Amino acid sequence: MSETTVVRWGTAMNTGLRIAAFAAAVAAVFAIAFGVGRVAGPDPEPTPGPTTHQPATHQGESHGG
């Protein structure tokens, strides 16, 4: 009767392979986020509407002096 060795993923992966898999996963997440950002795009600038801001005028005002 032959013995079969069961190897789990956690024990079969060495440190270098784990780091490479992590780096690939991080790169994939950033690539997907970059792609979604390119498709969605930034918010467009709002079109300037009529302004209600009146410049302050200081003609003839007294400052209590």
Side-chain angles (χ1 to χ4, degrees):
M1 185 177 230
S2 65
E3 282 188 35
T4 51
T5 305
V6 177
V7 178
R8 295 185 185 145
W9 278 99
T11 58
M13 294 177 67
N14 63 11
T15 305
L17 186 58
R18 285 182 186 215
I19 291 173
F22 177 75
V26 169
V29 167
F30 276 102
I32 291 169
F34 181 76
V36 169
R38 296 283 290 184
V39 169
D43 292 336
E45 291 292 323
T47 57
T51 61
T52 59
H53 176 71
Q54 299 293 325
T57 58
H58 296 289
Q59 298 171 348
E61 290 184 14
S62 173
H63 291 285

